[in-house]
Amino acid sequence: MEPEMPWNEEQWEAFIKQGDLRAARFGELLETIGDAPDRDAVLAREMGWDLAGDDGDDDDQQAEVEAGDETAEEDEGGEDDGFLIADPTPEDLEAAAAEQRARKQALQSIPAYTLAMAAARKIHEALRPYMQGESEADDTDGRLAEAYIACHIASAKVAGGHGMGYDDDVLCGNIVKCRTGCDAAKKCRRSLIDLRDEKVLPDAVVNALLPDIDTAVDALEHRIAELRGRVWW
């Protein structure tokens, strides 16, 4: 029997999209149910979980837990801190700290991450005065807020892909994460240009930001191409 081939980008994209939808559904249920006494049972029923532990659903439930963990990591724009150790010794703490430093150094060595993060910080600083006092109704169709956070999303997606790793079984998932980040950076660029053309933002503000976004997009596209070069299947 031939070994199963690793997933391609299309398969990973469908899997991640399904996970995003289920995570959104889970959030909606939590908000609706609140602290009802039978909350866990209702969540299990609505999400299709089997609390009795049938083997058939174990993989799906574990995938959802892992997807939730990964989402939390991306919201922070970095990687997880590893497993907690009960009653750690000083040596354990030092080893964990050293591992965390190594992870951060590895992430910061990725140009797509550092350039997207640098662009995000510059955008935040430049747009902060225009975000004050904005309401959802007068936020120019949300494009100002979209431009404000999109480059951070780009760097977070690179971090999430890096956290997945580079083995064959996850490589295309890493690529999909980077593609999503690149799309976010491009969306940021389009939003800024629209806001400039509509005179919501001054020309000088937007024109000063575009080179940084373009540099980040180039780095993201280069990273996607580099990772795709590792795909042999």
Side-chain angles (χ1 to χ4, degrees):
M1 183 177 179
E2 293 185 2
E4 186 175 351
M5 296 288 286
W7 279 7
N8 58 30
E9 290 182 44
E10 289 74 18
Q11 289 169 306
W12 268 108
E13 188 169 14
F15 175 77
I16 292 171
K17 185 178 295 184
Q18 183 182 42
D20 289 344
L21 290 173
R22 291 183 69 83
R25 173 62 174 159
F26 183 78
E28 291 173 358
L29 287 170
L30 275 182
E31 185 175 349
T32 301
I33 297 169
D35 294 326
D38 59 345
R39 181 184 66 176
D40 291 346
V42 174
L43 284 172
R45 183 177 66 250
E46 295 296 328
M47 294 298 295
W49 296 340
D50 182 6
L51 295 184
D54 287 349
D55 292 340
D57 291 335
D58 284 351
D59 291 344
D60 290 341
Q61 292 179 33
Q62 180 62 27
E64 289 182 29
V65 171
E66 292 171 355
D69 290 344
E70 182 183 303
T71 300
E73 289 172 25
E74 289 184 1
D75 289 342
E76 295 297 324
E79 298 179 89
D80 65 278
D81 293 331
F83 295 103
L84 295 178
I85 302 174
D87 299 324
T89 65
E91 292 76 13
D92 291 331
L93 293 174
E94 178 55 34
E99 181 180 356
Q100 183 64 8
R101 287 194 297 270
R103 289 181 177 183
K104 288 183 177 180
Q105 288 174 356
L107 183 60
Q108 291 168 356
S109 70
I110 301 172
Y113 173 80
T114 56
L115 291 169
M117 181 63 75
R121 288 171 178 159
K122 189 170 182 179
I123 290 168
H124 283 197
E125 187 65 26
L127 298 192
R128 191 186 303 275
Y130 304 93
M131 296 293 293
Q132 295 175 355
E134 290 286 345
S135 69
E136 186 176 351
D138 62 6
D139 195 16
T140 318
D141 300 325
R143 283 172 294 171
L144 190 56
E146 182 177 77
Y148 192 70
I149 66 171
C151 260
H152 177 75
I153 292 174
S155 61
K157 292 297 181 181
V158 174
H162 175 71
M164 292 178 72
Y166 303 88
D167 292 338
D168 288 349
D169 58 340
V170 294
L171 179 58
C172 284
N174 190 337
I175 295 171
V176 170
K177 291 287 186 181
C178 292
R179 282 173 40 202
T180 303
C182 190
D183 288 343
K186 290 178 178 178
K187 184 179 293 185
C188 172
R189 189 183 194 280
R190 289 195 299 270
S191 296
L192 287 172
I193 290 174
D194 287 344
L195 292 166
R196 179 193 64 187
D197 292 346
E198 295 169 13
K199 305 303 180 183
V200 176
L201 293 174
D203 290 2
V205 169
V206 174
N207 293 343
L209 296 174
L210 292 180
D212 294 86
I213 300 174
D214 289 340
T215 299
V217 168
D218 287 344
L220 286 157
E221 290 179 339
H222 179 80
R223 178 161 178 80
I224 292 167
E226 189 272 325
L227 292 177
R228 281 175 170 165
R230 305 186 190 186
V231 177
W232 54 265
W233 59 94

